[in-house]
Amino acid sequence: GENVEQHPSTLSVQEGDSAVIKCTYSDSASNYFPWYKQELGKGPQLIIDIRSNVGEKKDQRIAVTLNKTAKHFSLHITETQPEDSAVYFCAARFSGSARQLTFGSGTQLTVLP
Amino acid sequence: SAVISQKPSRDICQRGTSLTIQCQVDSQVTMMFWYRQQPGQSLTLIATANQGSEATYESGFVIDKFPISRPNLTFSTLTVSNMSPEDSSIYLCSVALDQGNTIYFGEGSWLTVV
């Protein structure tokens, strides 16, 4: 079945450094790739998304890149701050699905002050 | 985006009982989904809640265990029936907006079964 693999599972960076999280997906016809941030005790918050007709999207310190040929997409956070510490999930919407998402396994990001 | 409210936000339940979780959205939405997130794990889709018809369940989830109602375009309920400790999870309501292209989540209902 459809699958999304996410790496790394944990990531620690110094405040001010950049963080990169990568995901690969199995269905080449997938068309939508969102990223969610989940803080402790809260639901997932959509932070950025990208569609299959775009290669890169940026929103302030956050950017997402998509490589359709290699079937992978990445989240880039620059100038990290302690409040960026959270679990980040990537997801993909596979062709033929009725808007449902398949999620990666999550990355625990810790930004050290 | 949308404001998605879930009740209860947290509960401790006795083994063998059932609990109904409510999800209220501040706008009419066609598509609503229920996800489960087991402790320390990722999100798994339970079912799609269809207005006016039965929910569509994913593999491994059945209606007898997780009955769902969707009486209108702003409200849905998920019942977790005959609970066991393995049902201890976060249950998340989500909606599709922007012509179904963007998915938002509620804050979740954190259930502990003892």
Side-chain angles (χ1 to χ4, degrees):
Chain A
E2 295 86 358
N3 188 44
V4 177
E5 293 190 359
Q6 183 172 346
H7 299 282
S9 57
T10 61
L11 178 61
S12 293
V13 299
Q14 290 294 137
E15 182 177 358
D17 288 349
S18 297
V20 181
I21 304 170
K22 298 181 180 179
C23 289
T24 60
Y25 57 97
S26 57
D27 181 3
S28 58
S30 299
N31 55 24
Y32 176 61
F33 308 91
W35 285 89
Y36 293 88
K37 174 184 181 182
Q38 187 174 29
E39 296 175 310
L40 195 62
K42 296 188 176 182
Q45 175 193 3
L46 178 68
I47 56 172
I48 196 167
D49 57 10
I50 193 167
R51 305 189 193 280
S52 57
N53 58 347
V54 176
E56 183 174 0
K57 183 177 179 181
K58 189 174 182 179
D59 182 4
Q60 300 183 341
R61 297 186 297 108
I62 295 174
V64 55
T65 58
L66 172 65
N67 183 327
K68 288 194 295 183
T69 302
K71 293 189 289 186
H72 68 70
F73 56 111
S74 299
L75 177 71
H76 305 255
I77 305 174
T78 59
E79 301 173 23
T80 53
Q81 302 167 4
E83 50 266 37
D84 294 328
S85 296
V87 178
Y88 291 81
F89 290 98
C90 65
R93 183 166 62 213
F94 294 101
S95 61
S97 72
R99 301 293 190 259
Q100 302 101 320
L101 298 174
T102 298
F103 282 82
S105 54
T107 297
Q108 173 68 64
L109 173 65
T110 302
V111 180
L112 304 169
Chain B
S1 62
V3 176
I4 305 169
S5 303
Q6 286 188 234
K7 291 181 181 180
S9 57
R10 195 177 293 269
D11 208 342
I12 299 174
C13 307
Q14 293 296 319
R15 186 193 303 249
T17 63
S18 299
L19 182 77
T20 296
I21 302 166
Q22 299 179 2
C23 178
Q24 179 75 53
V25 189
D26 68 345
S27 59
Q28 292 187 338
V29 295
T30 304
M31 310 198 76
M32 294 179 75
F33 308 95
W34 288 97
Y35 283 81
R36 182 175 74 180
Q37 187 177 24
Q38 294 179 302
Q41 302 296 313
S42 185
L43 288 77
T44 301
L45 181 65
I46 297 172
T48 301
N50 303 309
Q51 196 267 332
S53 64
E54 278 195 2
T56 305
Y57 289 84
E58 297 300 304
S59 176
F61 298 96
V62 295
I63 188 171
D64 289 346
K65 177 68 175 177
F66 297 102
I68 289 170
S69 77
R70 180 85 195 272
N72 56 53
L73 293 175
T74 64
F75 187 78
S76 179
T77 68
L78 169 75
T79 298
V80 186
S81 303
N82 188 25
M83 286 185 283
S84 66
E86 293 72 35
D87 294 319
S88 297
S89 294
I90 307 168
Y91 292 86
L92 293 154
C93 172
S94 74
V95 303
L97 299 180
D98 305 327
Q99 290 86 47
N101 290 316
T102 309
I103 308 294
Y104 296 94
F105 285 86
E107 290 294 341
S109 297
W110 299 60
L111 303 188
T112 301
V113 184
V114 297

